[in-house]
Amino acid sequence: MPPVKRIALVAHDNMKRDLLEWVEFNRAALSEHEIVATGTTGRLLEERTGRSVTKLNSGPLGGDQQIGARIADGEIDLLIFFWDPLNAMPHDPDVKALLRIAVVWNIPIACNRATADYIISSDLMESPYSRLLPDIATYQTRPIPGGDS
């Protein structure tokens, strides 16, 4: 990971206020990094901070999956996802898939303000970081029971 991190910011509706407050509190630290967000969250971030945000689709319209694809392509270094643990979402499978892909590709994930605070205040935020990546070749060439090749 380069010193300038590519940070994905996502928040469910009931958590958007918390994320916006967190971003405002950490405005200076975040100004050093690139921000990608799902649609509504990105719009609110731009309105609140006046800074440009790369906006994808809203989460239920594929934004979670777009962020997951960017993680798999090595285009996201950190995921801050304030998800609502008390309300089921119609796109819960997408949320689970996003969190899963972030773990597979070994990027830091914060799902609440306390963890986000720890990550943003880490000395690693300002320096290069070499994360361990999954062994794709071994996975792609693994034997498949009953497979033809």
Side-chain angles (χ1 to χ4, degrees):
M1 281 185 225
V4 174
K5 307 297 187 276
R6 297 158 301 181
I7 303 171
L9 298 176
V10 184
H12 285 153
D13 287 350
N14 289 342
M15 304 302 291
K16 288 189 190 317
R17 182 186 331 210
D18 291 345
L19 182 65
L20 291 169
E21 289 173 0
W22 182 82
V23 166
E24 190 66 36
F25 184 80
N26 291 289
R27 180 185 285 239
L30 290 169
S31 70
E32 312 273 328
H33 306 287
E34 297 174 26
I35 303 296
V36 176
T38 48
T40 307
T41 301
R43 179 179 53 79
L44 293 170
L45 287 166
E46 282 184 336
E47 290 171 2
R48 173 74 73 95
T49 65
R51 86 173 272 180
S52 179
V53 172
T54 300
K55 294 180 296 301
L56 306 175
N57 290 334
S58 278
L61 300 177
D64 297 334
Q65 293 175 336
Q66 287 177 302
I67 288 179
R70 287 183 179 218
I71 291 169
D73 288 341
E75 298 171 6
I76 298 289
D77 302 310
L78 168 63
L79 174 62
I80 307 289
F81 187 172
F82 285 15
W83 58 276
D84 184 351
L86 300 177
N87 291 299
M89 301 290 154
H91 67 292
D92 272 344
D94 299 336
V95 171
K96 184 176 180 182
L98 173 57
L99 294 172
R100 181 189 155 284
I101 206 73
V103 170
V104 166
W105 288 98
N106 194 30
I107 68 164
I109 309 163
C111 295
N112 60 33
R113 191 169 185 153
T115 308
D117 286 341
Y118 270 82
I119 290 172
I120 198 74
S121 64
S122 169
D123 290 339
L124 297 173
M125 282 297 295
E126 306 306 322
S127 60
Y129 176 76
S130 297
R131 62 188 164 95
L132 296 175
L133 296 173
D135 183 354
I136 299 170
T138 300
Y139 185 80
Q140 291 174 331
T141 58
R142 73 195 184 287
I144 305 296
D148 293 338
S149 50

